[in-house]
Amino acid sequence: MSNKKPGSMLPREFKTLAKESVYRSARVELQHHKVELPDGNIVDDWAYVLASDAVLLVCQRNDGKFLVLRHHKYAISDCVHGPVGGAVDRDESPIDAAKRELLEETGMQAAWWRCLGESVLDPNRYVGRVHCYLVRELTRVHDQPLAPDCENPDLVWVTEQELREIAIKESSVASWKLAFLLAIESLRDTESV
């Protein structure tokens, strides 16, 4: 929500004056941009990261418990609890990626899906978009995950209160925290209808 008075001018936008790709792999590209700031100053080496979109799934069982993956992540150097998720492949929709990731990481499918929205991971450097879903009515279709993450996570079921504590107290990934809290809030909206 804006603090501007009705009828006032919007702030000036950033202008991209030039861009150059300095690194590219299958899932990420690093670019240097030359950017004119809203105040007219120029930044010659603005880093901009184009990464694959990602999906995050908050999975809820019929008994109300939530699935979290307990594992180590390379950039965090600690054991953390995260949602099911992964990259959206080229030519794949976010919902198709979400269904694939659920099956690969858990061996389950879901009959009930709610989109919780999407977010850009870094408002200045971009990085990519994350698409969040709440899934329910889970059915196990394989005894084991089809393609578990390289971290070999433990699948742990937690209560809503435990999930809230993970989201608020655990030092981990901001997008994971957002997905967990959006799911809890979404369920509260559903219960009040």
Side-chain angles (χ1 to χ4, degrees):
M1 187 159 176
S2 172
N3 291 333
K4 295 277 183 188
K5 295 178 183 174
S8 67
M9 292 181 50
L10 292 174
R12 282 190 49 215
E13 295 181 12
F14 292 74
K15 287 184 187 175
T16 304
L17 304 175
K19 55 179 134 176
E20 172 190 12
S21 180
V22 294
Y23 173 81
R24 180 179 287 182
S25 71
R27 295 241 185 245
V28 69
E29 178 181 356
L30 174 61
Q31 298 178 345
H32 277 170
H33 289 196
K34 182 175 183 178
V35 177
E36 181 180 336
L37 302 177
D39 66 4
N41 286 316
I42 305 290
V43 177
D44 290 321
D45 62 348
W46 190 282
Y48 197 82
V49 182
L50 298 168
S52 300
D53 280 7
V55 293
L56 297 176
L57 290 73
V58 180
C59 306
Q60 187 183 36
R61 229 170 29 188
N62 290 344
D63 66 1
K65 289 195 173 181
F66 294 90
L67 177 64
V68 292
L69 305 181
R70 185 176 179 273
H71 47 172
H72 284 270
K73 286 294 192 180
Y74 179 70
I76 299 173
S77 300
D78 199 2
C79 190
V80 292
H81 297 87
V84 171
V88 178
D89 290 336
R90 189 171 280 133
D91 300 324
E92 184 178 39
S93 70
I95 190 67
D96 288 340
K99 290 175 181 179
R100 175 182 51 75
E101 288 289 344
L102 179 63
L103 188 60
E104 286 178 358
E105 292 187 5
T106 70
M108 291 186 272
Q109 293 178 332
W112 188 96
W113 291 79
R114 173 178 287 162
C115 178
L116 300 174
E118 66 178 61
S119 301
V120 171
L121 294 174
D122 183 327
N124 282 321
R125 308 290 182 240
Y126 184 70
V127 181
R129 290 186 182 277
V130 64
H131 306 265
C132 299
Y133 297 92
L134 172 63
V135 300
R136 299 166 91 180
E137 299 178 22
L138 299 163
T139 305
R140 180 161 298 285
V141 293
H142 295 283
D143 290 338
Q144 299 291 323
L146 297 182
D149 280 346
C150 59
E151 300 93 350
N152 195 22
D154 294 325
L155 279 62
V156 180
W157 294 95
V158 299
T159 65
E160 180 181 322
Q161 182 58 38
E162 291 168 323
L163 186 66
R164 183 181 301 282
E165 289 173 11
I166 288 168
I168 293 171
K169 295 178 182 175
E170 188 173 278
S171 178
S172 67
V173 180
S175 59
W176 295 358
K177 293 171 174 272
L178 175 65
F180 290 151
L181 293 172
L182 283 172
I184 291 168
E185 187 62 27
S186 173
L187 290 170
R188 294 208 185 294
D189 288 346
T190 302
E191 293 167 0
S192 65
V193 173

